[in-house]
Amino acid sequence: DTGVSQDPRHKITKRGQNVTFRCDPISEHNRLYWYRQTLGQGPEFLTYFQNEAQLEKSRLLSDRFSAERPKGSFSTLEIQRTEQGDSAMYLCASSSVSVYGYTFGSGTRLTVV
Amino acid sequence: ILNVEQSPQSLHVQEGDSTNFTCSFPSSNFYALHWYRWETAKSPEALFVMTLNGDEKKKGRISATLNTKEGYSYLYIKGSQPEDSATYLCAFRGSQGNLIFGKGTKLSVKP
């Protein structure tokens, strides 16, 4: 297992377009998290899954954002009708027992022009 | 609203200097305090997960302490090296389940 993988690493899109990011967690981890980091801020929680169930969503996750983890393995995060304010680093992390720490991916950097 | 504060925001030191950063967090509903190191273009790397008041953890030249009653943790780096240059993030986990991160301390170590 090579850790948490995120694809793509970078994405440039025009305002109004839809984008989808993928996260492949560590295979034995049943929890998967999405965070967003903007310049000068720490990572902000968006949502998390335990297996295929989405257990919590942040207020930051507007109606334009949707996340899925259909088979309890990889996850996708889709942003519809992107806005310039969506430009950020989108981080995915996974864990088995969360007290033992998360393993993060390298992130997807989204730029909306 | 749960708030996690880190100070200083940035720090510039010379190689060989020892340094420390502070993380303050809510003292109620404490479950765990995490420290991460994040180098540019890489993924955040877990340093420590601390759960008990009075915990002290060490990994090489880096150590951390925890005071859950007053809501703070210190991260120490002894004899800083240029490869220690990174952003150091702390994150609080309470009853809410997910991690709440501070803004980080950006450390630059000059050779």
Side-chain angles (χ1 to χ4, degrees):
Chain A
D1 202 336
T2 55
V4 178
S5 299
Q6 290 189 245
D7 184 68
R9 291 291 302 269
H10 303 275
K11 179 71 177 178
I12 300 174
T13 191
K14 290 184 179 179
R15 192 171 49 187
Q17 298 293 305
N18 298 345
V19 292
T20 300
F21 312 141
R22 177 179 169 124
C23 172
D24 287 87
I26 291 174
S27 55
E28 56 267 28
H29 286 180
N30 62 347
R31 286 192 168 189
L32 185 148
Y33 309 82
W34 284 100
Y35 282 78
R36 179 176 71 184
Q37 194 234 3
T38 53
L39 197 62
Q41 302 295 318
E44 297 171 301
F45 170 75
L46 294 178
T47 188
Y48 92 91
F49 294 83
Q50 182 156 304
N51 301 313
E52 65 275 7
Q54 189 173 18
L55 295 187
E56 190 173 345
K57 291 168 61 173
S58 163
R59 292 186 308 248
L60 293 174
L61 215 65
S62 76
D63 291 344
R64 296 184 298 106
F65 287 69
S66 62
E68 294 182 342
R69 194 182 182 198
K71 296 181 181 178
S73 56
F74 73 92
S75 175
T76 57
L77 179 68
E78 182 184 15
I79 309 174
Q80 295 182 324
R81 305 181 304 282
T82 51
E83 301 172 356
Q84 285 189 321
D86 297 331
S87 296
M89 172 74 82
Y90 289 83
L91 289 165
C92 175
S94 68
S95 72
S96 53
V97 177
S98 60
V99 69
Y100 294 109
Y102 296 3
T103 302
F104 279 90
S106 299
T108 294
R109 181 166 293 285
L110 173 67
T111 303
V112 182
V113 297
Chain B
I1 296 177
L2 299 174
N3 210 27
V4 177
E5 301 282 347
Q6 288 189 249
S7 63
Q9 190 174 359
S10 64
L11 198 53
H12 299 265
V13 302
Q14 289 293 134
E15 182 175 355
D17 288 350
S18 293
T19 187
N20 65 85
F21 327 131
T22 303
C23 172
S24 61
F25 51 86
S27 54
S28 58
N29 296 319
F30 177 87
Y31 191 83
L33 193 283
H34 297 226
W35 280 100
Y36 288 86
R37 168 194 152 90
W38 195 2
E39 287 182 76
T40 304
K42 295 186 178 179
S43 52
E45 172 199 353
L47 290 174
F48 305 114
V49 179
M50 308 175 80
T51 57
L52 298 175
N53 185 43
D55 248 358
E56 290 188 25
K57 300 235 176 180
K58 189 174 181 181
K59 187 176 182 178
R61 294 179 291 98
I62 304 176
S63 60
T65 61
L66 179 69
N67 183 322
T68 61
K69 292 183 180 179
E70 296 182 39
Y72 65 83
S73 175
Y74 294 134
L75 187 79
Y76 301 91
I77 302 179
K78 185 177 178 182
S80 303
Q81 300 296 308
E83 57 266 30
D84 296 329
S85 298
T87 295
Y88 291 82
L89 293 164
C90 74
F92 165 81
R93 185 183 176 223
S95 56
Q96 80 281 357
N98 56 283
L99 292 182
I100 298 170
F101 283 85
K103 294 181 180 181
T105 293
K106 186 172 182 179
L107 174 66
S108 298
V109 183
K110 292 183 181 177

